[in-house]
Amino acid sequence: MAFSADELRVLRRALANALHPAPLPDEDVQDCLRLAGSVDEAAGEAGRLRAFLLADLARYRDTLPGSVTGYLELLQDALAAGYDPLPEDLAALRAQRSRPVAAALLERCQVLAERSVRARLAGRAVPATTPAPRSRLLALPGGRAAAAEPERPKTPAAPARPVPPSERPAPKPSEVFPPRRRPAPPPQQRFAG
């Protein structure tokens, strides 16, 4: 995630206030709330993109061997993004291991799958396939909300309800069709003349 220069200034002010609490002007509070909203929106977009890419990977896997090139590219992209390979991925790669790219990916996926299983057996947390929802920034200490409202007892947050597909925004074309790598040119053949 990249921040603009203005967003970095807001973040720097918020961090300075966290280290040395002082009353914040209303403008700074609004800037922090806008930044928190932007971060929430970016995290939501990343989650939707990840879900779309994983669904696309499953579609390609289901149509093997005809889609082997596209499947291998998508699997490489997913692994680079932190995807833990499923048993179905390992089985698909074993069936295609005659291809050098599939054989290399199979070795990599076996190492990742073994590491994931060992972590689960050891009781350590394993990264989830979707990002955990981040809590909303409701008020900053020392801001307008602190002066206007008395302190309330904390209540547990209600679980977030899933957004139905009809209410989700349409993905951008760049999310649906990520740029592809150019294929390597075929080797030149020599003819005896």
Side-chain angles (χ1 to χ4, degrees):
M1 180 180 299
F3 292 104
S4 71
D6 289 334
E7 290 171 332
L8 283 175
R9 278 191 285 277
V10 170
L11 190 57
R12 189 176 295 124
R13 285 192 314 254
L15 289 173
N17 188 52
L19 292 173
H20 306 288
L24 287 175
D26 287 345
E27 182 179 321
D28 287 352
V29 172
Q30 292 303 317
D31 288 344
C32 289
L33 291 173
R34 275 193 294 277
L35 179 61
S38 296
V39 169
D40 285 341
E41 184 179 335
E45 283 296 317
R48 283 191 288 278
L49 177 61
R50 183 176 176 84
F52 176 81
L53 290 176
L54 293 179
D56 206 22
L57 181 66
R59 281 192 296 273
Y60 273 78
R61 185 177 52 235
D62 292 342
T63 58
L64 285 173
S67 63
V68 69
T69 304
Y71 172 71
L72 294 176
E73 286 179 9
L74 283 173
L75 184 58
Q76 285 175 339
D77 293 343
L79 291 173
Y83 172 70
D84 278 336
L86 300 175
E88 295 88 0
D89 294 313
L90 295 172
L93 289 171
R94 282 187 194 104
Q96 300 298 323
R97 70 177 142 209
S98 60
R99 296 173 175 261
V101 174
L105 273 175
L106 177 60
E107 287 179 27
R108 183 175 172 197
C109 286
Q110 285 174 333
V111 169
L112 291 173
E114 183 177 335
R115 188 178 304 153
S116 177
V117 168
R118 286 179 191 262
R120 272 188 247 129
L121 290 175
R124 291 182 295 187
V126 177
T129 56
T130 57
R134 191 174 73 77
S135 62
R136 298 283 305 169
L137 177 63
L138 299 177
L140 296 172
R144 185 174 19 156
E149 297 179 17
E151 196 170 311
R152 290 181 270 183
K154 295 182 181 179
T155 58
R161 72 170 180 88
V163 178
S166 61
E167 293 179 17
R168 291 184 190 144
K172 299 175 190 171
S174 62
E175 296 172 344
V176 176
F177 304 105
R180 297 281 182 203
R181 295 183 193 95
R182 290 186 181 170
Q188 296 180 354
Q189 298 176 352
R190 296 184 184 182
F191 297 102

